[in-house]
Amino acid sequence: MPYFDTASAAPLHPVARQALLAALDEGWADPARLYREGRRARLLLDAAREAAAEAVGCRPDELVFTSSGTTAVHAGIAGALSGRRRVGRHLALSAVEHSSVLHSAAAHEAAGGSFTEVPVERSGAVDPAAYAGALRADTALACLQSANHEVGTEQPVAEVAALCAEAGVPLLVDAAQSLGWGPVAGRWSLLTASAHKWGGPAGVGLLAVRKGVRFAPQGPAGERESGRAPGFENLPAIVAAAASLRAVRDEAAAEAVRLRALVGRIRSVVAERVGDVEVVGDPERRLPHLVTFSCLYVDGETLLHELDRHGFSVSSGSSCTSSTLEPSHVLKAMGVLSEGNVRVSLPMGTTEADVDRFLDVLPGLVAEVRERLGAPVSAPTSPTPVASLVVDALGRRCPIPVIELAKVIGEVPVGATVTVLADDEAARLDIPAWCEMREQEYVGEEPADRGSAYVVRRLS
Protein backbone atom coordinates (compact mmCIF):
# COMPACT_ATOMS: atom_id res chain seq x y z
CA MET A 1 0.00 0.00 0.00
CA PRO A 2 1.70 3.26 -1.10
CA TYR A 3 2.19 5.61 1.84
CA PHE A 4 2.15 9.18 0.50
CA ASP A 5 2.08 11.19 3.73
CA THR A 6 5.70 11.47 4.77
CA ALA A 7 5.18 15.19 5.52
CA SER A 8 3.19 14.04 8.57
CA ALA A 9 5.53 11.24 9.57
CA ALA A 10 8.15 9.43 7.53
CA PRO A 11 8.46 5.64 7.79
CA LEU A 12 11.17 4.56 10.21
CA HIS A 13 14.46 4.42 8.33
CA PRO A 14 16.26 1.03 8.48
CA VAL A 15 19.32 2.72 9.99
CA ALA A 16 17.11 4.24 12.70
CA ARG A 17 15.73 0.81 13.54
CA GLN A 18 19.21 -0.72 13.78
CA ALA A 19 20.55 2.14 15.91
CA LEU A 20 17.50 2.08 18.16
CA LEU A 21 17.83 -1.64 18.90
CA ALA A 22 21.55 -1.35 19.54
CA ALA A 23 21.10 1.66 21.83
CA LEU A 24 18.43 -0.13 23.83
CA ASP A 25 21.16 -2.55 24.92
CA GLU A 26 23.98 -0.05 25.33
CA GLY A 27 22.33 3.28 26.18
CA TRP A 28 19.88 2.56 28.97
CA ALA A 29 21.90 4.08 31.82
CA ASP A 30 21.97 7.68 33.07
CA PRO A 31 24.52 9.63 30.94
CA ALA A 32 25.07 12.01 33.86
CA ARG A 33 26.61 9.26 36.03
CA LEU A 34 30.32 8.49 36.29
CA TYR A 35 30.22 4.71 36.50
CA ARG A 36 30.88 2.46 33.51
CA GLU A 37 27.31 2.22 32.22
CA GLY A 38 26.80 5.97 32.59
CA ARG A 39 30.05 6.76 30.75
CA ARG A 40 28.96 4.44 27.92
CA ALA A 41 25.63 6.23 27.70
CA ARG A 42 27.38 9.63 27.72
CA LEU A 43 29.59 8.58 24.80
CA LEU A 44 26.50 7.62 22.81
CA LEU A 45 24.77 10.91 23.63
CA ASP A 46 27.84 12.97 22.73
CA ALA A 47 28.27 11.12 19.44
CA ALA A 48 24.60 11.66 18.57
CA ARG A 49 24.87 15.36 19.37
CA GLU A 50 27.96 15.75 17.20
CA ALA A 51 26.28 13.97 14.27
CA ALA A 52 23.12 16.05 14.57
CA ALA A 53 25.08 19.30 14.93
CA GLU A 54 27.09 18.50 11.81
CA ALA A 55 23.85 17.97 9.86
CA VAL A 56 22.34 21.18 11.21
CA GLY A 57 25.49 23.22 10.67
CA CYS A 58 26.12 24.33 14.24
CA ARG A 59 28.43 23.53 17.14
CA PRO A 60 27.55 20.51 19.31
CA ASP A 61 27.25 22.71 22.40
CA GLU A 62 24.67 24.85 20.58
CA LEU A 63 22.27 21.92 20.09
CA VAL A 64 19.97 20.18 22.57
CA PHE A 65 17.53 17.32 22.16
CA THR A 66 13.88 17.81 23.15
CA SER A 67 10.90 15.50 23.47
CA SER A 68 9.39 16.64 20.13
CA GLY A 69 9.64 19.22 17.39
CA THR A 70 6.70 21.10 18.89
CA THR A 71 8.44 21.23 22.26
CA ALA A 72 11.55 22.58 20.52
CA VAL A 73 9.50 25.34 18.86
CA HIS A 74 7.76 26.31 22.11
CA ALA A 75 11.02 26.27 24.08
CA GLY A 76 12.91 28.16 21.39
CA ILE A 77 10.35 30.94 21.02
CA ALA A 78 9.74 31.33 24.75
CA GLY A 79 13.45 31.32 25.59
CA ALA A 80 14.39 33.83 22.90
CA LEU A 81 11.52 36.19 23.75
CA SER A 82 12.40 36.07 27.43
CA GLY A 83 16.10 36.54 26.76
CA ARG A 84 15.38 39.71 24.77
CA ARG A 85 12.51 41.09 26.87
CA ARG A 86 14.42 44.33 27.46
CA VAL A 87 14.36 44.97 23.70
CA GLY A 88 10.59 44.54 23.51
CA ARG A 89 7.77 42.04 23.36
CA HIS A 90 7.01 42.00 19.65
CA LEU A 91 7.21 38.80 17.58
CA ALA A 92 7.27 38.62 13.76
CA LEU A 93 6.27 35.47 11.87
CA SER A 94 4.92 34.44 8.49
CA ALA A 95 1.21 33.72 8.06
CA VAL A 96 1.92 30.12 6.99
CA GLU A 97 3.99 28.92 9.95
CA HIS A 98 3.29 25.55 11.54
CA SER A 99 0.55 25.56 14.18
CA SER A 100 3.16 25.15 16.93
CA VAL A 101 4.55 28.59 16.05
CA LEU A 102 1.07 30.11 15.84
CA HIS A 103 0.15 28.64 19.23
CA SER A 104 3.31 30.10 20.75
CA ALA A 105 2.43 33.49 19.25
CA ALA A 106 -1.10 33.30 20.67
CA ALA A 107 0.25 32.42 24.14
CA HIS A 108 2.73 35.31 23.90
CA GLU A 109 -0.08 37.71 23.03
CA ALA A 110 -2.26 36.40 25.87
CA ALA A 111 0.63 37.14 28.24
CA GLY A 112 0.76 40.78 27.11
CA GLY A 113 3.04 40.58 24.08
CA SER A 114 2.22 41.26 20.45
CA PHE A 115 2.93 39.68 17.09
CA THR A 116 2.72 40.51 13.39
CA GLU A 117 1.88 37.94 10.71
CA VAL A 118 3.68 38.66 7.46
CA PRO A 119 1.42 37.82 4.47
CA VAL A 120 2.55 35.49 1.72
CA GLU A 121 2.23 35.54 -2.03
CA ARG A 122 -0.08 33.13 -3.83
CA SER A 123 2.85 30.70 -4.12
CA GLY A 124 3.06 30.54 -0.32
CA ALA A 125 6.37 32.40 -0.03
CA VAL A 126 6.99 35.64 1.85
CA ASP A 127 8.44 38.68 0.15
CA PRO A 128 11.69 39.46 2.03
CA ALA A 129 10.99 43.18 1.76
CA ALA A 130 7.55 42.68 3.30
CA TYR A 131 9.09 40.63 6.09
CA ALA A 132 11.65 43.35 6.77
CA GLY A 133 8.76 45.82 6.98
CA ALA A 134 7.29 43.85 9.87
CA LEU A 135 10.44 44.24 11.99
CA ARG A 136 10.19 46.99 14.58
CA ALA A 137 12.43 48.57 17.18
CA ASP A 138 10.75 46.42 19.83
CA THR A 139 10.88 43.15 17.83
CA ALA A 140 12.46 40.53 20.07
CA LEU A 141 12.27 37.57 17.67
CA ALA A 142 11.37 36.64 14.10
CA CYS A 143 10.19 33.21 12.93
CA LEU A 144 10.24 31.74 9.42
CA GLN A 145 9.93 28.11 8.38
CA SER A 146 12.44 26.80 5.87
CA ALA A 147 9.73 25.13 3.77
CA ASN A 148 5.99 24.87 4.14
CA HIS A 149 4.54 21.68 5.56
CA GLU A 150 1.32 21.81 3.49
CA VAL A 151 2.35 23.01 0.04
CA GLY A 152 6.13 22.47 -0.02
CA THR A 153 7.09 26.03 -0.93
CA GLU A 154 10.62 26.93 0.17
CA GLN A 155 10.98 30.25 1.96
CA PRO A 156 13.74 32.81 1.22
CA VAL A 157 15.39 32.10 4.56
CA ALA A 158 18.86 33.37 3.64
CA GLU A 159 17.49 36.72 2.43
CA VAL A 160 15.23 37.17 5.46
CA ALA A 161 18.01 36.11 7.84
CA ALA A 162 20.29 38.78 6.38
CA LEU A 163 17.59 41.42 6.83
CA CYS A 164 16.97 40.28 10.40
CA ALA A 165 20.68 40.37 11.18
CA GLU A 166 20.84 43.91 9.79
CA ALA A 167 17.96 44.88 12.09
CA GLY A 168 19.56 43.12 15.06
CA VAL A 169 16.68 40.62 15.39
CA PRO A 170 17.38 36.89 15.87
CA LEU A 171 15.63 34.57 13.42
CA LEU A 172 14.20 31.20 14.48
CA VAL A 173 13.83 28.74 11.58
CA ASP A 174 11.44 25.80 11.80
CA ALA A 175 13.29 23.28 9.62
CA ALA A 176 11.07 20.29 10.36
CA GLN A 177 10.18 19.61 6.71
CA SER A 178 13.52 20.38 5.09
CA LEU A 179 16.34 19.26 7.40
CA GLY A 180 16.43 15.74 6.00
CA TRP A 181 17.13 17.21 2.55
CA GLY A 182 19.98 19.49 3.56
CA PRO A 183 21.18 22.22 5.94
CA VAL A 184 19.37 25.56 6.15
CA ALA A 185 21.28 28.37 4.45
CA GLY A 186 21.66 31.84 5.90
CA ARG A 187 22.57 33.53 9.18
CA TRP A 188 19.78 32.05 11.28
CA SER A 189 19.97 32.34 15.06
CA LEU A 190 17.80 29.46 16.27
CA LEU A 191 16.63 26.31 14.52
CA THR A 192 14.15 23.56 15.36
CA ALA A 193 13.40 20.19 13.78
CA SER A 194 11.61 16.92 14.42
CA ALA A 195 13.10 13.45 13.92
CA HIS A 196 9.96 11.67 12.72
CA LYS A 197 9.88 13.94 9.66
CA TRP A 198 13.11 12.41 8.28
CA GLY A 199 12.62 8.79 9.28
CA GLY A 200 13.78 8.90 12.87
CA PRO A 201 11.63 7.77 15.80
CA ALA A 202 8.84 9.98 17.10
CA GLY A 203 9.50 11.84 20.33
CA VAL A 204 12.81 13.50 19.44
CA GLY A 205 13.19 17.16 18.53
CA LEU A 206 16.19 19.40 17.96
CA LEU A 207 16.72 22.93 19.22
CA ALA A 208 19.85 24.80 18.13
CA VAL A 209 20.66 28.20 19.65
CA ARG A 210 23.69 30.01 18.24
CA LYS A 211 26.29 31.36 20.62
CA GLY A 212 25.65 35.02 21.31
CA VAL A 213 21.85 34.76 21.09
CA ARG A 214 20.25 35.96 24.31
CA PHE A 215 18.23 33.02 25.60
CA ALA A 216 16.50 32.45 28.93
CA PRO A 217 14.91 28.99 29.31
CA GLN A 218 11.39 29.13 30.70
CA GLY A 219 9.79 26.89 33.29
CA PRO A 220 11.47 25.09 36.18
CA ALA A 221 15.23 24.81 35.79
CA GLY A 222 16.70 21.48 34.75
CA GLU A 223 20.20 20.04 34.87
CA ARG A 224 20.11 18.25 31.52
CA GLU A 225 20.49 19.54 27.95
CA SER A 226 21.94 22.89 29.10
CA GLY A 227 18.78 23.51 31.09
CA ARG A 228 16.79 23.95 27.86
CA ALA A 229 15.05 20.56 27.75
CA PRO A 230 14.15 19.20 31.18
CA GLY A 231 13.76 15.51 31.85
CA PHE A 232 15.73 12.34 31.31
CA GLU A 233 17.02 12.00 27.74
CA ASN A 234 15.43 9.27 25.62
CA LEU A 235 18.87 8.11 24.63
CA PRO A 236 17.98 5.17 22.35
CA ALA A 237 15.59 7.37 20.36
CA ILE A 238 18.14 10.21 20.21
CA VAL A 239 20.82 7.85 18.90
CA ALA A 240 18.41 6.51 16.28
CA ALA A 241 17.37 10.04 15.28
CA ALA A 242 20.96 11.18 14.74
CA ALA A 243 21.93 8.01 12.87
CA SER A 244 18.94 8.24 10.54
CA LEU A 245 19.55 11.94 9.87
CA ARG A 246 23.06 11.15 8.71
CA ALA A 247 21.74 8.26 6.60
CA VAL A 248 19.01 10.23 4.84
CA ARG A 249 21.46 13.05 4.13
CA ASP A 250 23.72 10.55 2.37
CA GLU A 251 20.77 9.53 0.18
CA ALA A 252 19.21 12.99 -0.21
CA ALA A 253 20.96 14.27 -3.33
CA ALA A 254 20.06 11.32 -5.53
CA GLU A 255 16.58 10.88 -4.07
CA ALA A 256 15.80 14.59 -4.44
CA VAL A 257 16.41 14.41 -8.19
CA ARG A 258 14.29 11.28 -8.56
CA LEU A 259 11.39 12.41 -6.37
CA ARG A 260 11.37 15.91 -7.88
CA ALA A 261 10.74 14.31 -11.27
CA LEU A 262 7.92 12.16 -9.86
CA VAL A 263 6.31 15.16 -8.17
CA GLY A 264 6.67 17.15 -11.38
CA ARG A 265 4.79 14.39 -13.16
CA ILE A 266 2.01 14.52 -10.56
CA ARG A 267 1.76 18.30 -10.91
CA SER A 268 1.37 18.15 -14.69
CA VAL A 269 -0.76 15.02 -15.03
CA VAL A 270 -3.25 16.01 -12.32
CA ALA A 271 -3.85 19.31 -14.09
CA GLU A 272 -4.36 17.50 -17.41
CA ARG A 273 -6.57 14.60 -16.31
CA VAL A 274 -8.67 15.88 -13.43
CA GLY A 275 -9.98 19.24 -14.63
CA ASP A 276 -11.21 22.07 -12.39
CA VAL A 277 -8.14 21.60 -10.23
CA GLU A 278 -5.64 24.07 -8.79
CA VAL A 279 -2.11 22.83 -8.15
CA VAL A 280 -0.82 25.07 -5.37
CA GLY A 281 2.62 26.04 -4.12
CA ASP A 282 5.69 27.31 -5.95
CA PRO A 283 6.40 25.07 -8.98
CA GLU A 284 10.17 25.59 -8.73
CA ARG A 285 11.23 26.67 -5.22
CA ARG A 286 9.73 23.67 -3.45
CA LEU A 287 10.58 20.56 -1.52
CA PRO A 288 11.38 17.69 -3.90
CA HIS A 289 8.84 15.23 -2.50
CA LEU A 290 5.67 17.25 -1.82
CA VAL A 291 2.76 18.47 -3.96
CA THR A 292 -0.68 19.81 -3.05
CA PHE A 293 -3.69 20.32 -5.27
CA SER A 294 -7.32 21.31 -4.70
CA CYS A 295 -10.29 20.01 -6.68
CA LEU A 296 -13.41 22.08 -7.26
CA TYR A 297 -16.76 20.60 -6.19
CA VAL A 298 -15.13 17.87 -4.09
CA ASP A 299 -15.63 16.86 -0.47
CA GLY A 300 -12.04 16.43 0.71
CA GLU A 301 -12.81 13.90 3.42
CA THR A 302 -14.73 11.66 1.01
CA LEU A 303 -11.91 11.83 -1.54
CA LEU A 304 -9.31 10.88 1.08
CA HIS A 305 -11.43 7.91 2.17
CA GLU A 306 -11.80 6.77 -1.44
CA LEU A 307 -8.05 7.03 -2.03
CA ASP A 308 -7.45 5.05 1.15
CA ARG A 309 -9.91 2.41 -0.04
CA HIS A 310 -7.83 2.12 -3.22
CA GLY A 311 -4.60 1.76 -1.24
CA PHE A 312 -3.22 5.32 -1.09
CA SER A 313 -2.46 7.15 2.15
CA VAL A 314 -2.57 10.91 1.58
CA SER A 315 -3.34 13.99 3.67
CA SER A 316 -5.32 17.19 3.21
CA GLY A 317 -5.58 20.79 4.33
CA SER A 318 -9.25 20.92 3.39
CA SER A 319 -11.76 22.23 5.91
CA CYS A 320 -13.84 19.16 5.11
CA THR A 321 -11.27 16.98 6.89
CA SER A 322 -10.92 19.21 9.94
CA SER A 323 -12.83 18.87 13.19
CA THR A 324 -13.16 22.67 13.27
CA LEU A 325 -14.60 22.83 9.73
CA GLU A 326 -12.31 25.80 9.08
CA PRO A 327 -10.02 25.91 6.05
CA SER A 328 -6.30 25.42 6.43
CA HIS A 329 -4.65 28.62 7.61
CA VAL A 330 -1.93 28.03 5.03
CA LEU A 331 -4.32 27.78 2.07
CA LYS A 332 -6.29 30.71 3.46
CA ALA A 333 -3.18 32.89 3.69
CA MET A 334 -2.26 31.97 0.11
CA GLY A 335 -5.75 32.80 -1.15
CA VAL A 336 -6.08 29.48 -3.00
CA LEU A 337 -8.88 26.94 -3.25
CA SER A 338 -9.22 24.81 -0.12
CA GLU A 339 -12.00 22.37 -1.01
CA GLY A 340 -11.03 18.92 -2.23
CA ASN A 341 -7.45 19.50 -1.12
CA VAL A 342 -4.99 16.62 -1.38
CA ARG A 343 -1.40 16.68 -0.12
CA VAL A 344 0.92 14.05 -1.56
CA SER A 345 4.34 13.70 0.09
CA LEU A 346 6.45 10.84 -1.22
CA PRO A 347 8.82 8.88 1.01
CA MET A 348 12.26 7.96 -0.17
CA GLY A 349 12.10 4.86 -2.33
CA THR A 350 8.71 5.62 -3.87
CA THR A 351 8.46 3.86 -7.22
CA GLU A 352 7.34 5.28 -10.54
CA ALA A 353 4.76 2.48 -10.77
CA ASP A 354 3.10 3.60 -7.53
CA VAL A 355 2.85 7.17 -8.79
CA ASP A 356 1.46 6.04 -12.14
CA ARG A 357 -1.21 3.94 -10.43
CA PHE A 358 -2.16 6.92 -8.26
CA LEU A 359 -2.53 9.08 -11.36
CA ASP A 360 -4.65 6.39 -13.02
CA VAL A 361 -7.00 6.05 -10.03
CA LEU A 362 -7.39 9.71 -9.02
CA PRO A 363 -9.43 11.15 -11.95
CA GLY A 364 -12.14 8.51 -11.67
CA LEU A 365 -12.45 8.96 -7.91
CA VAL A 366 -12.76 12.74 -8.25
CA ALA A 367 -15.46 12.28 -10.90
CA GLU A 368 -17.37 9.87 -8.63
CA VAL A 369 -17.28 12.27 -5.67
CA ARG A 370 -18.44 15.16 -7.86
CA GLU A 371 -21.26 13.07 -9.25
CA ARG A 372 -22.47 12.13 -5.78
CA LEU A 373 -22.55 15.80 -4.80
CA GLY A 374 -24.42 16.81 -7.96
CA ALA A 375 -21.62 19.03 -9.23
CA PRO A 376 -22.17 20.58 -12.68
CA VAL A 377 -20.14 19.23 -15.58
CA SER A 378 -20.26 22.70 -17.12
CA ALA A 379 -22.08 25.91 -16.26
CA PRO A 380 -25.70 25.74 -17.52
CA THR A 381 -27.12 28.50 -19.66
CA SER A 382 -30.71 29.62 -19.21
CA PRO A 383 -32.69 30.67 -22.31
CA THR A 384 -34.36 33.39 -20.21
CA PRO A 385 -31.67 34.83 -17.94
CA VAL A 386 -32.79 36.67 -14.80
CA ALA A 387 -31.37 39.94 -13.51
CA SER A 388 -29.89 38.47 -10.34
CA LEU A 389 -30.13 35.41 -8.12
CA VAL A 390 -29.75 34.56 -4.47
CA VAL A 391 -28.51 31.09 -3.53
CA ASP A 392 -29.34 29.94 -0.01
CA ALA A 393 -26.55 27.59 1.12
CA LEU A 394 -26.91 28.26 4.85
CA GLY A 395 -26.18 25.25 6.98
CA ARG A 396 -24.43 23.45 4.13
CA ARG A 397 -20.74 22.63 4.23
CA CYS A 398 -18.02 22.70 1.62
CA PRO A 399 -18.09 22.23 -1.28
CA ILE A 400 -21.89 22.62 -1.57
CA PRO A 401 -22.00 26.47 -1.58
CA VAL A 402 -19.59 26.56 -4.52
CA ILE A 403 -21.46 23.79 -6.34
CA GLU A 404 -24.74 25.70 -5.99
CA LEU A 405 -23.06 28.86 -7.31
CA ALA A 406 -21.67 26.99 -10.32
CA LYS A 407 -25.10 25.54 -11.11
CA VAL A 408 -26.81 28.93 -11.43
CA ILE A 409 -24.14 31.32 -12.75
CA GLY A 410 -25.34 30.69 -16.30
CA GLU A 411 -28.89 31.72 -15.38
CA VAL A 412 -27.99 35.40 -15.00
CA PRO A 413 -26.86 37.63 -17.88
CA VAL A 414 -23.30 38.87 -18.21
CA GLY A 415 -22.92 41.77 -15.81
CA ALA A 416 -25.55 40.50 -13.37
CA THR A 417 -24.80 39.02 -9.96
CA VAL A 418 -25.34 35.88 -7.94
CA THR A 419 -25.40 36.21 -4.15
CA VAL A 420 -24.51 33.13 -2.14
CA LEU A 421 -25.70 32.98 1.47
CA ALA A 422 -23.38 30.72 3.45
CA ASP A 423 -22.28 30.22 7.04
CA ASP A 424 -19.40 27.85 6.30
CA GLU A 425 -16.05 29.53 6.95
CA ALA A 426 -14.57 27.81 3.89
CA ALA A 427 -16.89 29.79 1.61
CA ARG A 428 -14.93 32.93 2.42
CA LEU A 429 -11.92 31.36 0.71
CA ASP A 430 -13.42 29.02 -1.87
CA ILE A 431 -15.90 31.36 -3.57
CA PRO A 432 -13.20 33.94 -4.47
CA ALA A 433 -10.94 31.07 -5.58
CA TRP A 434 -13.74 29.69 -7.77
CA CYS A 435 -14.19 33.14 -9.35
CA GLU A 436 -10.51 33.33 -10.24
CA MET A 437 -10.53 29.83 -11.73
CA ARG A 438 -13.74 30.53 -13.68
CA GLU A 439 -12.80 34.12 -14.69
CA GLN A 440 -15.80 35.61 -12.92
CA GLU A 441 -15.71 38.73 -10.72
CA TYR A 442 -15.81 38.36 -6.97
CA VAL A 443 -17.55 41.55 -5.86
CA GLY A 444 -17.13 40.96 -2.15
CA GLU A 445 -18.68 39.86 1.11
CA GLU A 446 -21.69 41.56 2.68
CA PRO A 447 -23.30 41.09 6.09
CA ALA A 448 -26.40 38.91 6.31
CA ASP A 449 -28.92 37.90 8.97
CA ARG A 450 -27.10 34.58 9.19
CA GLY A 451 -23.61 33.90 7.95
CA SER A 452 -22.43 36.10 5.09
CA ALA A 453 -23.54 37.07 1.60
CA TYR A 454 -20.91 36.50 -1.09
CA VAL A 455 -21.58 38.47 -4.27
CA VAL A 456 -20.31 37.25 -7.65
CA ARG A 457 -20.70 39.08 -10.97
CA ARG A 458 -20.87 37.05 -14.18
CA LEU A 459 -18.24 38.16 -16.70
CA SER A 460 -18.52 35.38 -19.28
Side-chain angles (χ1 to χ4, degrees):
M1 177 174 177
Y3 176 77
F4 287 174
D5 193 24
T6 191
S8 293
L12 192 66
H13 194 281
V15 168
R17 184 182 300 276
Q18 295 169 4
L20 180 64
L21 293 175
L24 286 171
D25 291 332
E26 299 294 327
W28 50 267
D30 186 347
R33 300 300 171 220
L34 299 179
Y35 42 70
R36 181 186 304 106
E37 295 85 356
R39 294 197 305 272
R40 185 185 301 130
R42 168 56 64 180
L43 288 173
L44 289 174
L45 181 59
D46 289 346
R49 197 183 313 278
E50 289 178 8
E54 181 182 4
V56 168
C58 67
R59 292 168 35 163
D61 60 351
E62 293 174 330
L63 184 144
V64 299
F65 295 104
T66 68
S67 59
S68 69
T70 294
T71 300
V73 166
H74 292 170
I77 292 177
L81 287 172
S82 179
R84 286 173 47 84
R85 58 188 178 276
R86 291 185 179 179
V87 172
R89 303 198 65 193
H90 178 250
L91 172 67
L93 63 153
S94 84
V96 295
E97 295 298 312
H98 187 268
S99 59
S100 60
V101 176
L102 300 184
H103 293 160
S104 286
H108 176 61
E109 184 179 50
S114 63
F115 68 91
T116 299
E117 284 190 5
V118 182
V120 296
E121 299 167 347
R122 196 171 179 85
S123 67
V126 298
D127 177 0
Y131 202 104
L135 303 178
R136 310 184 327 203
D138 63 338
T139 301
L141 178 67
C143 298
L144 182 64
Q145 60 191 189
S146 54
N148 187 259
H149 51 292
E150 288 193 28
V151 301
T153 297
E154 294 179 334
Q155 297 290 356
V157 172
E159 296 94 320
V160 171
L163 293 168
C164 287
E166 185 178 337
V169 177
L171 176 67
L172 182 148
V173 177
D174 171 15
Q177 289 296 335
S178 73
L179 192 60
W181 298 104
V184 176
R187 298 162 61 190
W188 51 265
S189 303
L190 303 95
L191 182 142
T192 63
S194 186
H196 73 276
K197 302 294 186 181
W198 67 66
V204 179
L206 305 181
L207 170 60
V209 182
R210 297 279 199 197
K211 292 294 182 183
V213 175
R214 292 186 177 275
F215 192 90
Q218 298 302 285
E223 296 80 22
R224 300 174 186 273
E225 296 301 298
S226 304
R228 295 173 181 174
F232 196 94
E233 297 95 342
N234 184 352
L235 187 53
I238 287 172
V239 170
S244 58
L245 180 55
R246 175 175 285 177
V248 298
R249 280 290 189 82
D250 290 341
E251 304 163 0
E255 275 295 276
V257 172
R258 199 177 66 82
L259 293 183
R260 184 173 289 276
L262 291 178
V263 165
R265 175 165 168 73
I266 294 173
R267 293 179 67 92
S268 61
V269 173
V270 165
E272 293 169 1
R273 296 183 185 175
V274 175
D276 290 325
V277 68
E278 183 175 14
V279 181
V280 301
D282 195 296
E284 300 299 330
R285 290 192 59 166
R286 57 177 173 82
L287 292 171
H289 68 303
L290 195 155
V291 57
T292 295
F293 52 89
S294 300
C295 308
L296 268 178
Y297 318 133
V298 169
D299 174 355
E301 185 172 5
T302 300
L303 180 57
L304 262 59
H305 283 315
E306 288 299 315
L307 284 167
D308 179 57
R309 194 166 62 85
H310 284 75
F312 295 96
S313 302
V314 299
S315 184
S316 173
S318 170
S319 60
C320 306
T321 63
S322 168
S323 59
T324 64
L325 292 178
E326 293 185 1
S328 151
H329 73 277
V330 171
L331 301 179
K332 186 175 182 179
M334 294 168 63
V336 298
L337 185 69
S338 74
E339 67 185 47
N341 179 261
V342 175
R343 181 184 69 180
V344 174
S345 47
L346 307 177
M348 291 185 174
T350 298
T351 67
E352 187 174 347
D354 284 339
V355 169
D356 286 343
R357 190 166 75 84
F358 173 79
L359 293 171
D360 289 340
V361 166
L362 179 69
L365 296 182
V366 172
E368 288 177 15
V369 174
R370 286 173 172 166
E371 185 177 2
R372 287 183 217 167
L373 294 172
V377 177
S378 60
T381 302
S382 171
T384 57
V386 295
S388 63
L389 279 175
V390 175
V391 174
D392 186 351
L394 293 168
R396 309 186 75 183
R397 300 302 179 189
C398 71
I400 301 302
V402 178
I403 289 176
E404 295 302 315
L405 167 61
K407 286 180 178 178
V408 302
I409 191 69
E411 297 180 15
V412 300
V414 172
T417 60
V418 174
T419 300
V420 182
L421 303 177
D423 51 7
D424 179 12
E425 180 66 24
R428 183 168 286 113
L429 179 61
D430 290 345
I431 289 176
W434 179 89
C435 290
E436 181 160 333
M437 293 176 72
R438 281 286 185 263
E439 298 184 338
Q440 309 295 343
E441 180 186 355
Y442 177 63
V443 177
E445 178 182 348
E446 298 177 355
D449 293 337
R450 284 181 55 204
S452 297
Y454 302 94
V455 182
V456 176
R457 177 174 288 111
R458 183 183 175 190
L459 298 183
S460 60

